[in-house]
Amino acid sequence: MKRTLGSERGVALVAALAAIVLIGVIIAGVLFSVTQDYRISDNSLRQSRATSTAELGLNRIVNEWSLPWNQKLTGDTLKRAYTTSGGGIASVIVTKLNGPFFWAVSEGVSGASRSSFQARRRYGVLLRLDTPQMNFLGAITTQGTTTVNGNVTINGNDAAPPSWTACSPGANVPGAAITPTTTATVNGSVTLNGNPPMLSTPAAGDSNTYFNYGNTNYSSMAAAATIQYPGGLLLNGVAPIVAGGTCAASTIPANWGEPNHAVPASPCESYFPVIHVAGNLKLTSGRGQGILLVDGDLEVAGNFSFMGAVIVRGGLKMSGTGNKIVGATMAATVSVDDNVSLSGNTSVLYSSCALLAVMSANAYPKAARQRGWVDVF
């Protein structure tokens, strides 16, 4: 029996349509894959730019740091915004913490203004003011022959300067720190307090104690001092100078800031100069604050008060009535004929608050050594 085959017309069309559909699916898959790769690549690029922008914000805030920012109170904030060449924006918020610490958070944004096309990164860093690490062994540290007469008070028990209300108590230190070979003579109504009242230690005879401060040293600080004086100088009536509502920097007449805090605050209360004298200095009456560096001998001859750090390469003589140093004092007595003589109504008092204030006022921040950086998101 002969079999009759059906017509095969249209088979080619069906095959062609199937091929077209298959090719379309393949093309669609390729396009989808390419689109996804592009989106992933674009997102990665935006994320990378946001990361770089956030890091730029942290770097810029440190590089552009202004010393008046050091005077902010705990909890105060500072806001800055920086723009990159690619259109990214870094928003930085710096918060003052206790002591010499600041917490900086930078949010970097990259991409179009619509949120679906933006990438964001936030980084935080703990900043610490890079203060000089001065090794004050007591309220007064010296290695020279020391004579104390009259109504003199030397106190290493930590206390805030009078009228300084924003101070936290610190550890007590020795009243006087001297070397085991120092000759010390005490006469009259002398009050010596501290923990202990007097410390005999070889460190008082080590030049590093007086002239090396961790990240810096005496010579570097003297070269970069806010105020420079020649040696052989007599200064009388050192006092704050306010002009036009601002603290006016002045060498002579000398303006060394305002250590007497009041309400409302004087503009000079936040002025803590580094003062360098290239030789001997004599002071009679007045007041000031900051860091005083004297290459030669220092003589204080009555009614002068100073809050902060005093470092003398030569000898120290304080006599008369109403002399007061609140902070810490070091007299290196580098020459054999350099001596320390305290007499009259003189007070040398230790204050960690005064030291922290003057050190922090002239320091710039750097990232804390350990756990200083964190990825917020």
Side-chain angles (χ1 to χ4, degrees):
M1 180 177 179
K2 186 176 180 181
R3 185 177 180 183
T4 304
L5 297 176
S7 175
E8 295 182 355
R9 294 178 62 185
V11 172
L13 178 61
V14 172
L17 290 175
I20 291 173
V21 171
L22 179 60
I23 292 172
V25 170
I26 293 174
I27 292 174
V30 171
L31 289 176
F32 177 79
S33 177
V34 170
T35 301
Q36 289 299 101
D37 287 344
Y38 171 78
R39 288 177 177 175
I40 292 173
S41 176
D42 185 59
N43 288 339
S44 297
L45 177 61
R46 294 181 189 276
Q47 195 67 42
S48 177
R49 287 178 175 174
T51 298
S52 299
T53 302
E55 292 177 344
L56 175 139
L58 294 178
N59 290 330
R60 288 282 296 275
I61 198 69
V62 172
N63 292 336
E64 298 179 5
W65 194 267
S66 177
L67 289 178
W69 298 349
N70 295 356
Q71 305 302 321
K72 289 187 173 295
L73 301 177
T74 300
D76 287 351
T77 58
L78 169 73
K79 297 181 180 180
R80 286 291 184 274
Y82 304 102
T83 303
T84 68
S85 58
I89 299 175
S91 301
V92 183
I93 300 178
V94 181
T95 304
K96 178 67 171 69
L97 306 179
N98 288 328
F101 295 99
F102 292 82
W103 174 244
V105 175
S106 176
E107 180 180 80
V109 178
S110 175
S113 59
R114 290 180 294 172
S115 60
S116 59
F117 292 95
Q118 281 187 340
R120 296 172 179 266
R121 294 299 298 176
R122 293 185 72 199
Y123 292 130
V125 64
L126 180 63
L127 300 175
R128 186 187 194 282
L129 293 178
D130 194 16
T131 56
Q133 304 302 305
M134 294 182 176
N135 187 22
F136 293 106
L137 303 177
I140 183 169
T141 304
T142 185
Q143 61 180 336
T145 299
T146 302
T147 304
V148 184
N149 296 298
N151 188 22
V152 174
T153 298
I154 301 174
N155 195 342
N157 295 325
D158 191 28
S163 74
W164 289 31
T165 58
C167 292
S168 300
N172 298 329
V173 301
I178 60 176
T179 69
T181 59
T182 296
T183 300
T185 303
V186 179
N187 297 306
S189 302
V190 176
T191 302
L192 184 60
N193 293 317
N195 183 28
M198 181 175 291
L199 173 67
S200 178
T201 171
D206 187 347
S207 62
N208 290 313
T209 299
Y210 300 93
F211 304 126
N212 289 322
Y213 317 132
N215 61 319
T216 187
N217 55 48
Y218 181 97
S219 298
S220 297
M221 292 190 65
T226 315
I227 300 175
Q228 298 281 357
Y229 290 109
L233 187 67
L234 168 63
L235 289 178
N236 179 49
V238 176
I241 300 174
V242 177
T246 62
C247 188
S250 177
T251 303
I252 296 178
N255 175 12
W256 292 2
E258 175 58 274
N260 298 332
H261 293 186
V263 178
S266 165
C268 288
E269 287 185 14
S270 59
Y271 180 48
F272 297 92
V274 177
I275 307 136
H276 172 236
V277 183
N280 297 336
L281 172 65
K282 182 176 181 179
L283 296 166
T284 59
S285 75
R287 64 188 186 274
Q289 61 185 9
I291 301 174
L292 177 59
L293 307 173
V294 181
D295 288 352
D297 299 333
L298 172 62
E299 180 180 356
V300 182
N303 294 312
F304 181 80
S305 62
F306 189 82
M307 313 297 172
V310 177
I311 302 175
V312 184
R313 294 185 66 93
L316 171 65
K317 180 180 180 181
M318 299 179 69
S319 61
T321 301
N323 297 316
K324 180 183 289 187
I325 296 177
V326 181
T329 303
M330 291 197 292
T333 58
V334 292
S335 298
V336 293
D337 58 344
D338 290 334
N339 299 313
V340 173
S341 175
L342 306 179
S343 61
N345 185 4
T346 292
S347 298
V348 180
L349 312 176
Y350 178 77
S351 174
S352 62
C353 179
L355 293 175
L356 177 61
V358 301
M359 301 298 178
S360 299
N362 297 282
Y364 289 91
K366 66 177 183 180
R369 290 184 178 180
Q370 296 181 352
R371 304 183 68 86
W373 183 91
V374 63
D375 185 355
V376 180
F377 71 74

